[in-house]
Amino acid sequence: MRFKIFFFLFFSILTSTAKQIEVCNSCNIKTITEAIKISVAGDTILVKKGVYKEQNIIIDKSISLIGEKGAIIDGENEGGILIFETDNFTIKGIKIINVGLSYTIDYAAIRVVKAENFIIEDCILEGVFFGILIEKSKRGIIRNNKISSDRKNEASSGNGIHIWSGSEMEIYNNELFGLRDGLYFEFVKKSKIYKNVSHDNIRYGLHFMFSNHNIYHHNEFRNNGAGVAVMFSKFITMYNNTFKLNWGSASYGLLLKEIYDAEIYNNLFEENTIGINGEGCTRINYTNNTFLRNGWAVKIAGACYANIFEKNDFMHNSLDLAYNSKVNDNKFENNYWSEYTGYDLNNDGIGDIPYRPVKLFSYIVNKTPEALVLLRSLFVDIINFSEKVSPVFTPDNLMDKNPIMKRIND
């Protein structure tokens, strides 16, 4: 009780003594650095319209840094810009341009180190190396920001929102493009990513590494080197996302590598080279997803066990499934397959004969990619029919015994 009373009194005193410091070219305080220096915890720094050419501004007080419309910090490509080393801060409405490039130092427009309870919102970050870089922090909100760059290769570019070692982060309504990865999570847990648009990035729209118990939903990943990569992580929930136009010789909408116990549902995979590429994935439930006009809808490559594909729509993909093992421990049940040519004599909505989603031609293309030029030829139809009649290359039990006759998400 004494503890709560102490903090109540502390914050009451803090609020009552807080002041606003204005920064502008005609003000008494002309630089952000100077304003930070004279501020105390609880103050608000209002940055008026104008261009401020400053770098490596360290903020170690719990303040609010608010930008008036037209307030721009220009890093002149010489280094990082804002570095927060404090808890309980807010930054809002600032435009930051021209972050420096380094091959040894992670320069960022906004860097946050060992912080809790902070908000980064309504900022525009252009020409960045890293946009927002968070290290060893938790309970942060990052929303309504626009982050972009124009770098041409992975080596000379950083990530839009990069979190290394964090928890309970909430990231939403951001747009990210022209970066290496739009969003990158490494050793992050119990966080949410939603309603973001990540497009035209060099590598991934979103990238998880060693991050558990996270959720992402209602995001769009469009025209990236690859849509999303989830690697070496557990208990990830992915739903209501759109993965589209992620094209390339080895591209995909969603890459799953060494992950366990995930839920993937209500997502749209449209016109990707590969909708989902899975390697070493176990106990993943794929439910009610739509795979539309992809090269491969799903590619499974080894050590994928106890996965369940149930009530998904497979629509007009060049190949529905690629599988490179003679053993199958995965279940396909009650999916809709546009390539299914079976019948439903008792009119119960379920096909009377099973559907085999793996075609011999898919096996051949896995071994010899150049064979893809034969797609849609009579030769391919013949070899696919032979495998359908007498399976040799695919496991006998790799089939949907009860395919649905009509689309599920119509």
Side-chain angles (χ1 to χ4, degrees):
M1 189 62 184
R2 288 180 178 177
F3 187 74
K4 290 182 178 178
I5 293 171
F6 170 78
F7 271 94
F8 176 76
L9 292 173
F10 174 77
F11 283 111
S12 297
I13 293 169
L14 199 65
T15 303
S16 64
T17 59
K19 61 183 181 297
Q20 178 172 293
I21 302 170
E22 292 191 353
V23 180
C24 67
N25 292 328
S26 58
C27 300
N28 291 329
I29 309 301
K30 300 184 185 310
T31 68
I32 298 168
T33 303
E34 188 181 355
I36 299 293
K37 189 175 180 180
I38 65 170
S39 67
V40 298
D43 284 354
T44 296
I45 296 175
L46 178 63
V47 183
K48 309 281 281 187
K49 180 180 179 180
V51 178
Y52 303 85
K53 297 185 177 181
E54 301 182 61
Q55 303 89 30
N56 301 314
I57 304 168
I58 297 176
I59 303 164
D60 56 1
K61 303 163 186 172
S62 299
I63 61 164
S64 295
L65 182 62
I66 310 298
E68 191 180 76
K69 187 176 181 180
I72 301 172
I73 305 176
D74 185 351
E76 299 183 291
N77 296 308
E78 293 185 1
I81 312 297
L82 298 173
I83 304 166
F84 288 90
E85 299 177 347
T86 183
D87 299 332
N88 306 307
F89 70 84
T90 297
I91 174 171
K92 178 177 181 178
I94 300 279
K95 183 174 182 178
I96 300 174
I97 61 174
N98 300 327
V99 176
L101 164 66
S102 171
Y103 294 100
T104 56
I105 301 173
D106 294 336
Y107 288 138
I110 300 171
R111 183 178 178 187
V112 179
V113 182
K114 295 181 180 177
E116 295 184 24
N117 304 315
F118 57 88
I119 299 174
I120 301 171
E121 63 181 348
D122 300 330
C123 293
I124 298 174
L125 313 178
E126 292 181 354
V128 301
F129 184 44
F130 284 80
I132 299 172
L133 175 59
I134 312 287
E135 301 173 6
K136 294 187 175 180
S137 300
K138 55 187 174 182
R139 290 191 292 278
I141 296 173
I142 302 172
R143 62 190 177 200
N144 305 329
N145 302 288
K146 186 175 182 179
I147 305 173
S148 65
S149 190
D150 55 3
R151 304 275 159 73
K152 303 300 181 186
N153 57 66
E154 289 186 22
S156 64
S157 60
N159 304 318
I161 299 174
H162 180 125
I163 302 178
W164 175 73
S165 185
S167 67
E168 300 172 72
M169 308 294 293
E170 196 167 351
I171 299 172
Y172 60 95
N173 285 346
N174 300 285
E175 183 181 5
L176 312 108
F177 57 96
L179 304 145
R180 181 169 59 198
D181 294 347
L183 303 115
Y184 182 95
F185 273 29
E186 185 173 12
F187 299 106
V188 179
K189 60 184 179 181
K190 298 179 180 177
S191 296
K192 297 178 181 177
I193 302 171
Y194 56 96
K195 295 183 178 177
N196 301 284
V197 179
S198 186
H199 62 93
D200 296 285
N201 295 296
I202 298 169
R203 193 168 62 177
Y204 304 125
L206 167 63
H207 189 183
F208 288 96
M209 291 289 286
F210 309 108
S211 296
N212 304 328
H213 298 282
N214 295 299
I215 299 171
Y216 70 90
H217 63 89
H218 292 90
N219 302 283
E220 180 174 316
F221 306 104
R222 183 182 74 244
N223 198 34
N224 299 288
V228 175
V230 184
M231 302 181 178
F232 307 102
S233 301
K234 296 184 289 187
F235 302 106
I236 306 292
T237 301
M238 325 172 203
Y239 67 92
N240 284 103
N241 299 289
T242 297
F243 305 77
K244 63 188 298 184
L245 299 171
N246 298 293
W247 279 104
S249 58
S251 190
Y252 31 74
L254 173 60
L255 169 66
L256 305 174
K257 187 174 180 63
E258 301 296 336
I259 78 164
Y260 302 88
D261 300 295
E263 299 290 336
I264 301 174
Y265 58 91
N266 295 354
N267 299 287
L268 170 63
F269 298 86
E270 183 177 1
E271 295 190 61
N272 304 284
T273 303
I274 304 169
I276 296 178
N277 190 57
E279 302 175 18
C281 305
T282 298
R283 297 185 299 276
I284 315 292
N285 294 322
Y286 304 81
T287 309
N288 209 41
N289 301 288
T290 298
F291 298 89
L292 179 62
R293 294 192 297 271
N294 300 281
W296 284 266
V298 176
K299 236 180 176 182
I300 293 176
C304 293
Y305 302 113
N307 300 295
I308 298 175
F309 291 80
E310 192 171 27
K311 295 183 178 177
N312 301 285
D313 280 327
F314 289 82
M315 296 283 298
H316 311 300
N317 304 290
S318 297
L319 299 164
D320 287 326
L321 179 63
Y323 201 84
N324 72 345
S325 173
K326 290 289 290 180
V327 178
N328 176 47
D329 188 31
N330 304 296
K331 180 181 177 184
F332 293 83
E333 186 75 10
N334 290 135
N335 299 286
Y336 173 77
W337 310 87
S338 61
E339 298 295 310
Y340 180 63
T341 55
Y343 41 82
D344 179 19
L345 294 180
N346 60 0
N347 203 28
D348 65 353
I350 297 175
D352 294 342
I353 58 174
Y355 176 70
R356 290 187 173 276
V358 178
K359 296 180 170 60
L360 178 54
F361 183 60
S362 171
Y363 177 84
I364 294 172
V365 171
N366 262 350
K367 295 289 183 183
T368 312
E370 294 81 3
L372 198 56
V373 298
L374 299 172
L375 184 66
R376 315 268 183 221
S377 69
L378 177 62
F379 168 74
V380 171
D381 291 340
I382 293 171
I383 62 172
N384 282 339
F385 180 76
S386 66
E387 176 70 3
K388 184 178 178 180
V389 173
S390 179
V392 175
F393 295 96
T394 55
D396 289 342
N397 65 343
L398 207 168
M399 66 177 76
D400 189 336
K401 294 181 180 177
N402 297 295
I404 299 292
M405 296 300 292
K406 292 183 179 179
R407 283 191 62 180
I408 297 158
N409 298 308
D410 198 3

